[in-house]
Amino acid sequence: MIHSTDKVYFFSVNEPYHQCQLLYSGSIPVVVLTADSGERVQVPSGRIRQFIDSRGFYGRFRLVVSAQNKIKSFERIA
């Protein structure tokens, strides 16, 4: 559930698999994504790993962050 105090970010991502391989090693703790709004948002790499497949990390995503800057959800929407 999204509250009025939550911040919602939208991202379009298209990274090939070879650029995502380091995310699995754990050596990269966070990924910085640029939202459609131009804001840069840090996301723990563990939140992204589930969306990587043999083609890479791609799609349209929505990130919901609480007023306390805690991630409430990160999901592929298209």
Side-chain angles (χ1 to χ4, degrees):
M1 181 173 188
I2 299 175
H3 295 93
S4 61
T5 57
D6 294 340
K7 181 71 176 169
V8 180
Y9 301 95
F10 291 93
F11 305 91
S12 292
V13 181
N14 187 16
E15 291 297 324
Y17 180 77
H18 72 274
Q19 291 185 346
C20 301
Q21 291 175 341
L22 287 177
L23 292 175
Y24 281 106
S25 69
S27 61
I28 299 177
V30 296
V31 174
V32 177
L33 300 172
T34 302
D36 293 349
S37 64
E39 296 170 275
R40 294 169 54 92
V41 181
Q42 228 176 236
V43 178
S45 59
R47 292 283 187 151
I48 291 172
R49 280 187 207 118
Q50 64 183 320
F51 299 108
I52 298 172
D53 63 20
S54 61
R55 295 175 285 174
F57 177 43
Y58 63 93
R60 184 99 173 113
F61 295 87
R62 178 176 58 196
L63 171 67
V64 180
V65 180
S66 72
Q68 295 77 33
N69 288 322
K70 301 294 180 192
I71 294 175
K72 293 178 75 173
S73 67
F74 184 71
E75 61 188 341
R76 182 182 286 150
I77 56 175

